[in-house]
Amino acid sequence: MADEFHAKKVRPKVVLAPNYNVAPSLHLPVVRLDEEGDRELTLMRWGLIPFYSKDDKAANKMTNARAETVATLPAYREAFRKRRCIVPADWFYEWQGLDPQRKKTQSWAIARKDRRLLGMAGLWESWNDPATRQPLETYTILTTDPNEVMEPIHMRMPVILRPEEYQRWLEPLDSARPPTDLLRPSLVALEAWKVDPKVGNVRNTGPELCEPWADDLPTPSLFG
């Protein structure tokens, strides 16, 4: 992972157990620039806590952030200016509503067609926990409108960067050219396939969750 994102440093040097169904509140790999301007692969907790928060309750509502408002909302604008990051992933899951009330859904996995790691745009913060008096680094993933692959499945998708865009996203904000143009539907070639509904339960973490799953539900016409 560090090699694919050209990260010169890995901190801390730990080996994570395989998890095929990661969930908010877990500490997961994130790429950012360190104080020397080098790319660093580190662990942060998924679910951003604004630096001004009195407790960590906001994290449950801030696993994702709408790309359209991150430059202006108080919870995100400082992080957008100074603390942008990239969240690596083999794939992500999404749930397609099969009725207007979304009482019935179909689970999908979405990955790059070439199976290289996805690089999702994120923001990170450092929050001082008043209980432990220790800093806690957290992050959120930016979302945008769906591209042609995601549109039949869901109304939003993660902002997925191309490798040649990584450095511009990570480097300090150029006020004359802020990276807002990168916050658009993915230009990376993606592929989607149905997966087992068990992925909806975070206690299920095995490799079978990402395997293609056949059922009698109609497939969006885009995928044949």
Side-chain angles (χ1 to χ4, degrees):
M1 183 181 295
D3 291 341
E4 185 153 349
F5 287 88
H6 302 290
K8 292 184 178 181
K9 302 172 184 177
V10 179
R11 182 183 66 84
K13 294 186 177 180
V14 298
V15 178
L16 296 176
N19 187 335
Y20 296 83
N21 192 16
V22 298
S25 79
L26 293 179
H27 283 76
L28 300 167
V30 170
V31 178
R32 67 177 174 188
L33 295 185
D34 65 10
E35 294 179 353
E36 299 175 355
D38 294 326
R39 292 188 194 180
E40 173 186 65
L41 181 67
T42 188
L43 296 179
M44 296 186 190
R45 198 175 86 172
W46 185 11
L48 187 138
I49 306 173
F51 66 89
Y52 54 77
S53 294
K54 296 181 180 179
D55 54 49
D56 64 354
K57 294 179 181 178
N60 296 326
K61 300 179 180 179
M62 301 179 73
T63 56
N64 297 324
R66 293 178 67 90
E68 295 87 344
T69 55
V70 291
T72 56
L73 285 181
Y76 302 115
R77 63 190 178 196
E78 192 69 11
F80 178 70
R81 290 182 61 245
K82 299 179 179 179
R83 290 179 287 278
R84 297 187 298 278
C85 63
I86 298 172
V87 182
D90 291 286
W91 59 81
F92 63 93
Y93 296 117
E94 194 52 85
W95 285 262
Q96 175 193 19
L98 300 178
D99 58 74
Q101 292 75 33
R102 292 182 63 86
K103 292 182 178 180
K104 192 174 184 181
T105 61
Q106 171 62 57
S107 308
W108 292 81
I110 302 95
R112 288 181 58 132
K113 275 191 174 181
D114 60 12
R115 292 303 189 269
R116 293 178 62 185
L117 287 174
L118 296 166
M120 298 183 289
L123 306 175
W124 69 275
E125 275 288 3
S126 182
W127 174 70
N128 288 316
D129 187 339
T132 65
R133 297 186 180 181
Q134 296 294 320
L136 175 64
E137 293 181 337
T138 63
Y139 73 91
T140 187
I141 297 172
L142 275 56
T143 66
T144 187
D145 292 331
N147 65 1
E148 68 279 3
V149 172
M150 284 297 299
E151 192 168 13
I153 300 172
H154 200 272
M155 65 180 68
R156 303 290 291 179
M157 72 175 299
V159 173
I160 299 172
L161 304 168
R162 294 177 293 184
E164 59 267 30
E165 297 166 339
Y166 291 168
Q167 187 60 27
R168 182 168 167 235
W169 177 252
L170 291 172
E171 64 192 11
L173 182 68
D174 179 355
S175 58
R177 190 171 172 251
T180 51
D181 56 298
L182 303 182
L183 306 180
R184 35 78 174 126
S186 176
L187 301 178
V188 175
L190 301 176
E191 182 178 11
W193 64 96
K194 294 179 182 180
V195 292
D196 195 316
K198 290 179 181 179
V199 74
N201 187 333
V202 297
R203 289 177 292 184
N204 300 322
T205 60
E208 71 281 357
L209 296 175
C210 63
E211 295 297 324
W213 186 73
D215 67 348
D216 59 355
L217 297 175
T219 302
S221 59
L222 181 64
F223 309 111

